[in-house]
Amino acid sequence: GGHSISAGFEQAVELGSPLLRFSLGFRLGRCFRVRFGPIGFLLVRLGLGIGVDFRIGIGLGDAISRFFGSGGAGRGVVIVQPDTGYRPHGATKNAYMAHSSWDFLSNDDDPLDDTVKGKIQFPGHGTRTGSVIISPPEFKLGPSSAVWVTGVAPAATWIPARVTNRVILIDRAEYDIDNVASAIRHASGGNRSLIKRQADIISMSLGGTPKRELKEALEFAENNGVIVLAAAGNVVKTVVWPANYDSVISVAATNYSETLWADSAYIGRVKIAAPGEDVWTAVSERTVNGFVDCVEPGSGTSFAVATMAGVAALWISRHAESKEFKELRYSAKVPAAFRTLLNARRSNSDSPFVARRPTGWNNAWGPGIIDAEKLLCLTLPTTQELSSGQYKGSCSATCSDVPGCGS
């Protein structure tokens, strides 16, 4: 498959609860790691092109082919991502608008991730999670590469804001939470001095403790019509903040068995679940000779929320030019409309319209796993339905062939 196996094995420790889990792996070529996970699953796409993408189970391919054809998935949608910043990886460079954002740590207009490693720091995290949203279809490191990463909404505009070197937010730790709150305000309001484009979506693959300034910034985003999503949290079982605030779409992670990922938080306000185990991501690997573009799998609610942010971008892009959506945007009701669709239930049933509950799904894990095609098929709620709480979902005419949609 175009890779040589480096000599020796490396042992990777994966933190889990309550015990440590161990997995063995080895390097292929200069950066790609093949891992044999806790259940012996081989994480590699073979050179013949055989592979598994666990996001297939959320109807992405069907949604994109039905509504966007061969291109344009997410076009016109701006996604701001407060995180560790960006690296100029081949999978993300075409989606990032240079000098369109802000580094809240260095106080300049280049939110470049310096990838400095340290205690509870996550170098390259912003690039990895961003790649899940906006990488071009089947981005490869070269024509003979056996691995690739595909973004959910590759035509969207990605604006990374550097707010932290870590993704575990603790109040008074380098003012991380204050930076996040500031980034939310600058992305949501009319002041374009730092973040140059108004966000349609804010995606946060980070979390920690609550803070009044953060809550107020999220209320500001809501009042300005911005959809905000955040990772439910890892290892701890209680949903962290900002995901645990009412207005935020909190996203739990699932695995390739379509149950809750072992380390996903779920106790609290989980609005939806999405794949978060062994998701293919773009990695900018620091070496003695500089940075190398890599593609590697990663696990966590960070990747689940990035997937869901991409789905939200598809939803906006699909409806953006409709009269109904323009009315929602004018009245700053887009976030409320999106939450309404995620919460909608079938008639005389607790079964959700846009989430699947595979056999064995525990209601404590949230409503279920997102079904992107059904989300995009549902008609939009009117402002009157949002005010009354009486939304009655139905399929658009173009989706009459989708089993169970809107009925």
Side-chain angles (χ1 to χ4, degrees):
H3 293 285
S4 60
I5 300 177
S6 300
F9 282 80
E10 64 179 11
Q11 189 176 62
V13 180
E14 299 177 353
L15 291 178
S17 59
L19 302 174
L20 290 179
R21 298 200 307 267
F22 293 90
S23 63
L24 291 176
F26 54 85
R27 278 187 185 274
L28 289 178
R30 34 184 201 173
C31 62
F32 178 65
R33 298 179 183 88
V34 178
R35 296 189 185 279
F36 295 88
I39 63 171
F41 186 82
L42 176 60
L43 303 177
V44 66
R45 297 174 191 256
L46 302 178
L48 295 175
I50 301 172
V52 180
D53 184 339
F54 300 106
R55 291 174 293 168
I56 291 173
I58 65 172
L60 271 179
D62 292 334
I64 290 173
S65 62
R66 180 181 296 273
F67 296 107
F68 301 101
S70 59
R75 180 169 292 131
V77 181
V78 176
I79 303 170
V80 175
Q81 185 186 9
D83 207 288
T84 64
Y86 79 101
R87 293 297 312 176
H89 192 289
T92 59
K93 64 182 181 181
N94 290 335
Y96 170 59
M97 294 178 60
H99 308 294
S100 61
S101 191
W102 197 253
D103 187 327
F104 289 84
L105 298 183
S106 300
N107 201 33
D108 61 42
D109 67 352
D110 186 12
L112 185 69
D113 188 334
D114 59 17
T115 68
V116 174
K117 296 182 179 180
K119 188 176 182 181
I120 66 168
Q121 294 192 348
F122 296 84
H125 187 268
T127 300
R128 295 194 73 171
T129 49
S131 71
V132 175
I133 304 172
I134 47 80
S135 295
E138 293 192 8
F139 172 83
K140 296 183 178 183
L141 300 174
S144 63
S145 177
V147 295
W148 59 87
V149 57
T150 294
V152 178
T157 296
W158 176 56
I159 299 183
R162 184 170 178 246
V163 297
T164 181
N165 288 319
R166 60 178 62 83
V167 293
I168 301 172
L169 302 181
I170 303 171
D171 194 15
R172 306 186 191 282
E174 296 184 7
Y175 304 102
D176 287 348
I177 298 179
D178 290 339
N179 288 338
V180 173
S182 184
I184 292 170
R185 285 185 174 274
H186 280 280
S188 304
N191 184 344
R192 302 270 70 84
S193 60
L194 301 187
I195 296 177
K196 305 302 190 293
R197 296 283 300 275
Q198 168 83 27
D200 296 298
I201 295 167
I202 295 174
S203 179
M204 293 185 284
S205 295
L206 42 73
T209 56
K211 192 172 184 180
R212 178 175 56 84
E213 289 81 358
L214 179 59
K215 185 175 186 292
E216 291 175 350
L218 292 166
E219 292 169 351
F220 181 79
E222 173 83 9
N223 292 335
N224 281 276
V226 180
I227 296 174
V228 181
L229 306 97
N234 299 344
V235 182
V236 296
K237 295 307 177 185
T238 300
V239 176
V240 297
W241 289 267
N244 215 6
Y245 288 118
D246 281 335
S247 64
V248 177
I249 307 297
S250 55
V251 186
T254 57
N255 60 22
Y256 36 81
S257 298
E258 296 199 316
T259 60
L260 194 72
W261 176 57
D263 291 331
S264 176
Y266 64 91
I267 300 171
R269 297 183 177 95
V270 169
K271 304 291 200 311
I272 198 70
E277 182 174 54
D278 303 330
V279 176
W280 296 90
T281 69
V283 178
S284 190
E285 186 91 1
R286 183 190 286 271
T287 71
V288 294
N289 297 317
F291 288 91
V292 176
D293 284 0
C294 305
V295 174
E296 295 181 3
S299 298
T301 57
S302 287
F303 306 113
V305 71
T307 297
M308 192 61 207
V311 172
L314 298 181
W315 177 75
I316 292 176
S317 186
R318 181 251 196 280
H319 292 291
E321 297 305 316
S322 69
K323 176 184 175 183
E324 294 80 5
F325 189 85
K326 290 177 180 179
E327 290 177 352
L328 292 170
R329 177 168 274 165
Y330 178 78
S331 58
K333 295 296 184 183
V334 172
F338 191 68
R339 290 194 301 271
T340 295
L341 294 186
L342 295 184
N343 292 331
R345 296 294 187 269
R346 302 178 191 278
S347 300
N348 303 316
S349 170
D350 190 44
S351 178
F353 278 140
V354 302
R356 293 187 304 104
R357 291 177 174 174
T359 302
W361 185 262
N362 189 328
N363 287 341
W365 300 340
I369 304 171
I370 186 64
D371 187 317
E373 185 180 28
K374 289 182 180 176
L375 173 66
L376 270 63
C377 277
L378 279 185
T379 57
L380 294 174
T382 65
T383 54
Q384 292 78 14
E385 286 174 326
L386 291 177
S387 298
S388 66
Q390 298 298 314
Y391 170 67
K392 299 185 183 301
S394 62
C395 279
S396 64
T398 59
C399 296
S400 59
D401 60 321
V402 177
C405 176
S407 60

